[in-house]
Amino acid sequence: MGVFTSTGGQDPAGHEQVVFCQDRHTGLKAIIGIYSTALGPALGGTRFYPYTNEDAALNDVLDLSRGMAYKNALAGLDLGGGKAVIWGDPELDKSEALLRAYGRFVQSLGGRYYTACDVGTYVADMDVIARETRFVTGRSVEHGGAGDSSVLTAWGVFQGMRAAAEHVWGSPTLAGRRVGVAGLGKVGKHLTAHLLDDGASVVATDVSESALRWARETYPQVDLVADTAALVAADIDVYAPCALGGALDDDTVATLRARVVTGGANNQLAHPGIDKLLADRGILYTPDYVVNAGGVIQVADEIEGFNFERAKLRATRIFDTTREILRLADAEGVPPAAAADRLAERRMAEVGRLRTIHLS
Ligand SMILES: NC(=O)c1ccc[n+]([C@@H]2O[C@H](COP(=O)([O-])OP(=O)(O)OC[C@H]3O[C@@H](n4cnc5c(N)ncnc54)[C@H](O)[C@@H]3O)[C@@H](O)[C@H]2O)c1
């Protein structure tokens, strides 16, 4: 470790491959982490972020690439898990040359890793990277891409929520339920539309004035509250975190009135013990990486030549996967996150093992 400047902090044992990429001329410093290719080429986005040091960048790529292996396995994709980080400030350091230099490193892996958008990278950036590599998804529709992945992310979250509703209330619908949506961004907006269509009432919050204006103008029936604390304390049946990570911390769990938590945000649990706290309070939590996999399903479909209906069908199956995880969690007496991990590991082991059958 310590390839760029310092000593890496986290042991990358368990990952198949960790690649450090540097191009001094453009200032590119990137790390590509491939956790597993047991199910196929590793797919995961590229995060462009001003990490404080190299250890932070390395730790992030190791965590994120492992998470993608589990997410892709449970999404039923023939894809392994990987992720990349570009260490820099996207506002200051991003340039055509830097992105293209990065694209050449992705290409050099020969298809072991496919990239996509993440924090700090956008569809337009993927189009630039695609000028140097075939192994990129999340491109614009004009370039054969799947476009904005939040469309199927929200659809998948809605499917996971339906499965949770069935588990708790006996019927796979949100009709008559009150759902609290924290974050009316790309995912939260689409999710709000699905919920209202299904007959739910929605109460929401956002820190952005333009998001609140959108809600007032588009859906005047949505109740808006001042902040997430007010939303969590409100009389809601379902809490849908759709803003940043860490939405479920000790204080939130202690005050939450909802029976179900299902949302689009990544990394909702502030620490690993939170799912047990939720379970102890009788709150059903559907693991974020299960229900928000619609986005990766959408961009993964590009590899076959993007077909929206096929991708939507796959994202709809998040209902069945969530249902199976909740059933397994009950049967084995573990929180849903532990059940989800077991299912993902089983698929990686069982399907991954098939590659040991020799083909001439
Ligand atoms: N877009 C996708 O396809 C996708 C896929 C998987 C996971 N996710 C995750 O879902 C979440 C939302 O993604 P998005 O694409 O909608 O992002 P976005 O940036 O479009 O929306 C996020 C919204 O949250 C709001 N917000 C930020 N801090 C807040 C706070 N403290 N309280 C209330 N609102 C707050 C922002 O103002 C913004 O409107 C993120 O955690 C993202 O990582 C997104």
Side-chain angles (χ1 to χ4, degrees), residues 47 71 118-119 148-154 181-189 205-209 211 227-228 241-245 263-267 288 292-296 298:
R47 183 163 294 190
K71 181 186 273 200
D118 194 69
V119 175
D148 176 9
S149 62
S150 66
V151 175
L152 289 187
T153 300
V181 178
L184 290 169
K186 295 185 289 296
V187 175
K189 284 176 180 164
T205 190
D206 199 295
V207 289
S208 146
E209 187 45 45
D227 52 26
T228 307
C242 293
L244 307 179
N266 278 314
N267 305 325
D288 44 25
N292 74 14
V296 75
Q298 182 166 337

Side-chain angles (χ1 to χ4, degrees), residues 103-146:
R104 292 184 75 80
F105 282 107
V106 172
Q107 181 67 19
S108 75
L109 293 173
R112 283 179 49 72
Y113 168 66
Y114 276 84
T115 196
C117 302
D118 194 69
V119 175
T121 56
Y122 303 91
V123 167
D125 299 328
M126 296 305 121
D127 286 343
V128 175
I129 291 168
R131 292 165 75 174
E132 302 294 340
T133 180
R134 287 185 286 130
F135 307 115
V136 53
T137 66
R139 290 163 297 158
S140 62
V141 176
E142 308 85 79
H143 286 88

